[in-house]
Amino acid sequence: NGAAIGAPTVLGRDPHMHCLNALRRLVSLCCLAACVAASDEACEAPMTLSSFAHALNEKFIAKVGEGRAREFRPELLPARVADSSLELHLVEPSSERFFTYASDNGWNNQLLNLLCGLDMARSLNRTLIVPPFSWPRRRGPAKVSVCRLVDAARLAAVRGVRLVCEDEHGGVLGSLGALGVAAEHISGEGQPHRKRKVHRWSREGWVGRWGASSAPLLAVSCCLFWTWHLPDEVAFELYSHFEYHPALVRAARAAAAPLGDEYAAMHVRRGDKVSVDVAYRDSFPRMGADYFLRLAAREGLPAGATVFVATDELDRAWFAPLREQGFGLRFADDLDRAPLLEALSSFPQAVWADVLAILEQVVCAGAPSGFVGSLPSTLSGHVVNVRAVARHAAAASGAAGGAPRPLLFTKLHESCCDARTEQDWVRGGLVGDGEPLPCVAREPWC
């Protein structure tokens, strides 16, 4: 189900060759081998892709030939790593160390966990095993391999990153467990710790405590984006390599064709944030239509522009003030539905809302005439960050000495507001003149 692993960059290596090697290793650790009926010597020998694909069937054929077809049982297959010749070799736990984490909540929170996990694993020189996207409290038992959602080859090209996506059935960790790889569990600073305003882990403390660990697999409990501080320079590096899965990007761009070539975009987050989420009762309910009008003016959205609106607000009358100002509002139902449904049909229906939100994010991120969002929504935050990084890259390519690094959104404790969110709240007039913003100063525990 779409796994990927990338070798660390070797300084001085041709970057094109590095990308090629990363793509070659797409068939790597998550490939589950098929030396199930062979001797130990056969298991140690290189295996071609065709052998990998059909060896398990050979065992079934053998059982049938013996008249014992009903005795056949699929077996957990040991993990293998592909080399540059695309031959598969059995994973040797003594020479490879791994890092994984528990993930929870909505997709954009889990995306932040992924970015933190990449940094944490790289700091320990470990291969990251990315857990599948799941949200049992809201989506039931459905699971989706993250490599079906993001472009893993691009992330694998980040210097020092090695990653593999767990499949929907736990095959990667299961195959490692069959090889005797046991996890050492580490308690993350999750929700209870966050409410007690516990500080995030320091990079020095993390590397000092676990850098020399001989444990083949380290596993941190939920949730990394509350546990780990992602430095601005690292966040910028990771966002500059981030893309959604090419199939989702193609679908979103095709679906956006009715918007034309000069559309703007807006994310209006309401739903539970304005009704039942008490943590944000002083912020999201204040984001009325006038707030978005002021942000649109500050962002320079052209008067009369076509504006794609990604939103969970189903009452279209709520947007009347925006229409009265001349904006031509378009929603998900106004996009070309054929590519949207084609993309969604590849996923369990239980996660269609999450995949649709990803498709909407791609449309927002590519809006030529500007974007305004609902910070500190993490959906908005992701769009803000990828657009800022893209603009910076374009500006830096034509500026002598480069361009100053843009301000990125950072997910903080609900009581706090990061600098990018604070910027929007001031520009949008979230509070009246002279009133304090509904957040505390950025404290170390934020």
Side-chain angles (χ1 to χ4, degrees):
N1 285 311
I5 187 171
T9 299
V10 176
L11 296 180
R13 179 182 294 174
D14 182 343
H16 299 291
M17 182 59 67
H18 174 59
C19 289
L20 177 61
N21 288 338
L23 289 171
R24 281 175 174 170
R25 299 187 74 191
L26 271 170
V27 293
S28 59
L29 185 61
C30 195
C31 291
L32 299 181
C35 61
V36 291
S39 65
D40 290 342
E41 291 78 10
C43 284
E44 293 172 359
M47 175 178 282
T48 64
L49 286 175
S50 59
S51 296
F52 157 70
H54 300 295
L56 190 59
N57 195 46
E58 291 298 315
K59 184 175 183 181
F60 172 74
I61 292 171
K63 286 286 188 183
V64 173
E66 297 168 1
R68 301 162 59 193
R70 293 188 178 183
E71 296 179 13
F72 174 79
R73 297 292 184 274
E75 297 186 16
L76 190 61
L77 307 179
R80 291 193 174 246
V81 173
D83 62 18
S84 59
S85 66
L86 295 184
E87 292 181 331
L88 302 175
H89 297 269
L90 190 66
V91 168
E92 176 50 61
S94 65
S95 62
E96 186 79 28
R97 297 184 305 161
F98 302 92
F99 172 78
T100 193
Y101 57 91
S103 204
D104 195 8
N105 300 313
W107 163 247
N108 284 283
N109 282 353
Q110 297 198 30
L111 175 54
L112 293 177
N113 287 338
L114 168 60
L115 298 179
C116 291
L118 289 167
D119 188 37
M120 295 173 77
R122 179 173 64 169
S123 70
L124 300 182
N125 192 28
R126 287 176 175 264
T127 296
L128 175 65
I129 301 175
V130 183
F133 169 67
S134 66
W135 194 6
R137 294 192 309 280
R138 302 280 289 274
R139 304 294 185 250
K143 293 182 179 181
V144 175
S145 170
V146 169
C147 281
R148 296 176 59 194
L149 300 174
V150 308
D151 189 339
R154 282 184 57 87
L155 289 176
V158 176
R159 179 178 57 85
V161 163
R162 303 191 304 274
L163 68 93
V164 55
C165 288
E166 177 63 280
D167 60 45
E168 289 88 344
H169 309 288
V172 175
L173 290 176
S175 61
L176 290 175
L179 293 174
V181 175
E184 181 166 349
H185 294 276
I186 305 169
S187 179
E189 309 297 344
Q191 184 91 352
H193 299 78
R194 175 171 54 87
K195 289 183 176 180
R196 292 198 296 269
K197 299 181 180 179
V198 173
H199 291 198
R200 296 169 189 254
W201 293 350
S202 72
R203 180 177 300 270
E204 295 76 14
W206 169 250
V207 174
R209 174 64 181 85
W210 299 105
S213 172
S214 60
L217 172 62
L218 298 178
V220 178
S221 63
C222 194
C223 287
L224 296 190
F225 70 89
W226 296 125
T227 298
W228 189 249
H229 171 66
L230 200 63
D232 288 345
E233 62 274 12
V234 175
F236 190 85
E237 176 190 21
L238 295 178
Y239 277 108
S240 67
H241 283 82
F242 183 88
E243 290 278 359
Y244 278 118
H245 193 284
L248 296 178
V249 173
R250 287 192 297 270
R253 289 175 178 170
L259 301 176
D261 297 330
E262 299 298 330
Y263 73 92
M266 182 178 294
H267 173 230
V268 177
R269 179 71 164 94
R270 290 180 58 74
D272 57 305
K273 295 299 183 188
V274 300
S275 56
V276 296
D277 193 337
V278 297
Y280 292 104
R281 60 190 172 194
D282 293 326
S283 54
F284 284 96
R286 300 188 186 197
M287 297 179 192
D290 289 345
Y291 173 81
F292 290 97
L293 282 171
R294 287 188 287 268
L295 282 183
R298 292 297 300 267
E299 182 67 18
L301 269 60
T306 295
V307 179
F308 172 69
V309 183
T311 184
D312 54 357
E313 176 56 71
L314 299 179
D315 181 7
R316 298 300 185 241
W318 188 91
F319 298 92
L322 295 167
R323 289 194 182 90
E324 292 168 2
Q325 292 301 311
F327 290 119
L329 303 185
R330 302 291 185 271
F331 301 88
D333 290 337
D334 299 310
L335 302 177
D336 187 338
R337 297 186 188 181
L340 291 181
L341 290 174
E342 182 179 352
L344 291 171
S345 66
S346 299
F347 297 90
Q349 289 194 9
V351 300
W352 276 21
D354 308 284
V355 179
L356 179 60
I358 288 174
L359 295 166
E360 290 181 301
Q361 275 186 311
V362 176
V363 175
C364 290
S369 296
F371 169 79
V372 297
S374 303
L375 296 180
S377 158
T378 50
L379 190 156
S380 286
H382 179 77
V383 176
V384 164
N385 286 353
V386 296
R387 287 179 63 89
V389 168
R391 286 197 306 269
H392 177 267
S397 64
R405 184 178 294 152
L407 189 62
L408 297 183
F409 164 76
T410 302
K411 174 70 172 177
L412 298 180
H413 187 285
E414 298 99 325
S415 301
C416 311
C417 51
D418 67 290
R420 183 61 182 81
T421 296
E422 185 176 317
Q423 184 182 82
D424 265 15
W425 284 3
V426 171
R427 290 175 173 177
L430 189 75
V431 297
D433 291 341
E435 291 184 53
L437 292 174
C439 60
V440 302
R442 288 179 290 280
E443 302 289 343
W445 52 263
C446 283

